[in-house]
C-alpha cells in the first residue's frame, strides 16, 4: 500500500458522493412490495434487483464525471478501464438475499485500490443510515447515535470470542467443516449478516468473520474498513484476500493466529 | 380474544410509554465497549446484560404507576400479580446474543393479553428507531422512512417462499430436521434474526418464521403484531403458540397449511 499513507481528500469526497447516490437508489426499492427479482443462475437463487442495477449505474455515472482516469470493477456491469493505476470496486448491494427479505444488514460496498489491494473503503447501510469508512488516517462510523471512531477489539482467547459467518449458506463441505471447528471453540457464533459483520469487527463488537466463496467486490471495502480500524484480513492461508475466495477478518493479530491455525490445518 | 374488537386507547398509550423507556435504557448500553455480560446458564451461553435488567425495571415502574391492576410477566424479574384479568408480557431485549454482537435486529417485546392469549403487541428496534404495533384495529410500523400500514404477503407456493429461523442455534435434532424439510422446499432461508423476523412477516417481506424452544415472552408480542397484519401464528400442531415452545408464524392461511403439513408429519 505504498503512497497511501495519507488519503487523497478527493477520494473521500467522491466516496461520499457514491455512497449518497447508492443510498437514494437502493432505498427507493427497499421493502417495496413489487420488487422484481431476476434469477442470475440457472441453479440456486441469486436475486438481482432493479435496485442493484440502478445503484451501480448511478455510481458509474459519478465516477465517469468525477474520476475519469480511474478504472472501475462493478458487480453488475463489469469493468471500466482506466489510466491512473487506481481501481474503484463497487458492490451496489452486498447481501441481496437480505435486501429482498427486508432485513437491514445488507450494504453498499465502495473501495479503491491499486495492484496491492484496497486502501480506502466504505460500508454503507442506507436504511439505518450508517456509514463505516476506513482508509489512511481515517476510521469512523456515522449512524443514528452520531459519529464514532472505529477501533477493533483487544486480544482474547478464542473461547471468549464472537464469530460471524455466512455459513451454512456458502462454501464447500470441507470449508464448512473447517469453519465449524473454529465455531465450536468460540463463545458465540452468528449467521448471515453479509458485509455488516465486517463493519462490526471494525466497530469493536465482534472478533472474527470467516467466509468462503467470496467475489473480489464482496471483500475489498471490508478489507479497507477493518484494516483502518486496526484489524487484519487475509485468506485462510494468511495471504492476501482482496481477490475473493476464502477470507478471515480478525480484530487483532492474536485472534487471527488462533483461528488461522485451525483453518489452515483443515484446508491445505 | 373476546371483548377486544376495539383497542382500549390507554393500552396503546402505555405501550408507547413502555417502548420509549426501554429504548432509552437499551440504547444507553448498545455497542458500549465495556458491556458486562453475566452467564445465566451453567452450560451454554445466555448473556444477560445490564441493559436487559435496566429496561425491564423501567417498564415495571411505568406499569406499577399507570396500570396497577394488571399482572406482569417479565423475562428478567418474573411475575407481578394483578386483578384486571390482563397480563403484560415483557421481553426487554429479545435477541441478547445479537445485542451483545452489535447487530441491529434485537428488539424490545411488549404484549398484553388475557387467558386466550395476547391481543396487543409492540416489537421495537431502538437503534434503527423502528416500532411495529399490532392490535384490534391497528397494524402499523414507524421507522426511518415514516409510518406504514402493516400487511402480510399474499399466498404463494412454498417453493417461492422466504423462511426465517433461529435454527441451527435452537431446538432439538428432530425439530431441526423438521425445519430442514421445510427449508429445502422454500426458495430462500435466512438465519438468526430473532423477533425481527416476525416484524418482517407483518411487514409483508417474508412468508414464514419457524422456531422452537421459545419462552412465552419471546412469542406473545410477535403473535399480536403478525395477527393484526393478517398473518397466523400457531404451534407446530396448529394449536395456540402463546405459551412458547415451537412456533410457526405465517403470512397467510395457505402458506401456513403448506408448512404445517411438513412440520406435523416430522414431529408428532
Amino acid at each position: 500500500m505504498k503512497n497511501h499513507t495519507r488519503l487523497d481528500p478527493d477520494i473521500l469526497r467522491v466516496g461520499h458522493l457514491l455512497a449518497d447516490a447508492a443510498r437514494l437508489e437502493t432505498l427507493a426499492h427497499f421493502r417495496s412490495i413489487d420488487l422484481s427479482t431476476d434469477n442470475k443462475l440457472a441453479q440456486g437463487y441469486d436475486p438481482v434487483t432493479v435496485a442493484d442495477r440502478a445503484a451501480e449505474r448511478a455510481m458509474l455515472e459519478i465516477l465517469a464525471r468525477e474520476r475519469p482516469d480511474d478504472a472501475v470493477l462493478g458487480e453488475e456491469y463489469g469493468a471500466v478501464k482506466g489510466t491512473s493505476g487506481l481501481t474503484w470496486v463497487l458492490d451496489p448491494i452486498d447481501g441481496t438475499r437480505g435486501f429482498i427479505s427486508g432485513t437491514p444488514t445488507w450494504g453498499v460496498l465502495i473501495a479503491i485500490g491499486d495492484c496491492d489491494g484496497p486502501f480506502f473503503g466504505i460500508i454503507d447501510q442506507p436504511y439505518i443510515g450508517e456509514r463505516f469508512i476506513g482508509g489512511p488516517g481515517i476510521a469512523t462510523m456515522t449512524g443514528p447515535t452520531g459519529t464514532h471512531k472505529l477501533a477493533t477489539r483487544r486480544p482474547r482467547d478464542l473461547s471468549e470470542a464472537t464469530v460471524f459467518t455466512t455459513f451454512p449458506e456458502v462454501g464447500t463441505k470441507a470449508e464448512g467443516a473447517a469453519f465449524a471447528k473454529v465455531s465450536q471453540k468460540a463463545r458465540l457464533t452468528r449467521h448471515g449478516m453479509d458485509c455488516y459483520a465486517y463493519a462490526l469487527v471494525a466497530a469493536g463488537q465482534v472478533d472474527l468473520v470467516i467466509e468462503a466463496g467470496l467475489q473480489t467486490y464482496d471483500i475489498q471495502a471490508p478489507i479497507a474498513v477493518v484494516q483502518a480500524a486496526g484489524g487484519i484480513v487475509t485468506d485462510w492461508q494468511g495471504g492476501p484476500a482482496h481477490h475473493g475466495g476464502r477470507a478471515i477478518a480478525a480484530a487483532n493479530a492474536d485472534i487471527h493466529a488462533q483461528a488461522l491455525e485451525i483453518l489452515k490445518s483443515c484446508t491445505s
Side-chain angles (χ1 to χ4, degrees), chain A residues 78-127:
Chain A
V80 176
K81 286 194 179 174
T83 56
S84 67
L86 298 178
T87 302
W88 293 86
V89 180
L90 310 174
D91 188 351
I93 300 178
D94 179 73
T96 318
R97 288 171 180 76
F99 184 91
I100 62 161
S101 309
T103 58
T105 55
W106 52 279
V108 178
L109 301 181
I110 298 161
I112 183 167
D114 55 24
C115 53
D116 293 329
F119 59 85
F120 172 78
I122 294 177
I123 302 172
D124 195 71
Q125 210 309 305
Y127 183 68

Side-chain angles (χ1 to χ4, degrees), chain A residues 126-190:
Chain A
Y127 183 68
I128 303 177
E130 278 180 311
R131 186 165 299 173
F132 300 81
I133 302 177
I138 183 171
T140 61
M141 74 84 65
T142 301
T145 58
T147 296
H148 311 279
K149 206 174 170 328
L150 292 174
T152 57
R153 287 185 146 186
R154 282 187 297 254
R156 65 190 69 200
D157 193 76
L158 182 54
S159 64
E160 294 293 311
T162 302
V163 184
F164 272 66
T165 189
T166 312
F167 290 107
E169 288 177 21
V170 302
T172 64
K173 256 196 173 164
E175 288 167 345
F179 170 75
K181 290 228 170 179
V182 179
S183 174
Q184 281 152 20
K185 295 198 176 181
R187 183 155 78 159
L188 184 58
T189 299
R190 303 288 298 168

Side-chain angles (χ1 to χ4, degrees), chain A residues 8 12 34 39-40 44 73 75 97 103 110 154-155 157 163 172 177 184 201 204 224 236 240 244 264:
Chain A
D8 176 353
L12 182 61
D34 59 350
N39 202 331
K40 266 205 286 198
L73 177 68
E75 184 189 7
R97 288 171 180 76
T103 58
I110 298 161
R154 282 187 297 254
D157 193 76
V163 184
T172 64
Q184 281 152 20
V201 172
W236 289 14
K264 262 183 171 171

Side-chain angles (χ1 to χ4, degrees), chain A residues 59-70:
Chain A
M59 290 193 283
L60 288 173
E61 281 168 25
I62 289 166
L63 288 175
R65 189 179 69 226
E66 303 287 338
R67 306 275 305 183
D69 298 337
D70 297 342

Side-chain angles (χ1 to χ4, degrees), chain A residues 162-166 194 197-198 201 206-211 247-250:
Chain A
T162 302
V163 184
F164 272 66
T165 189
T166 312
D194 299 300
Y198 296 92
V201 172
V206 307
D207 304 274
L208 290 164
V209 181
I210 300 174
E211 295 200 282
I248 169 171

Side-chain angles (χ1 to χ4, degrees), chain A residues 23-34:
Chain A
R23 234 182 226 200
L24 277 180
E25 296 294 340
T26 51
L27 282 186
H29 299 283
F30 184 56
R31 294 194 184 168
S32 69
I33 299 299
D34 59 350

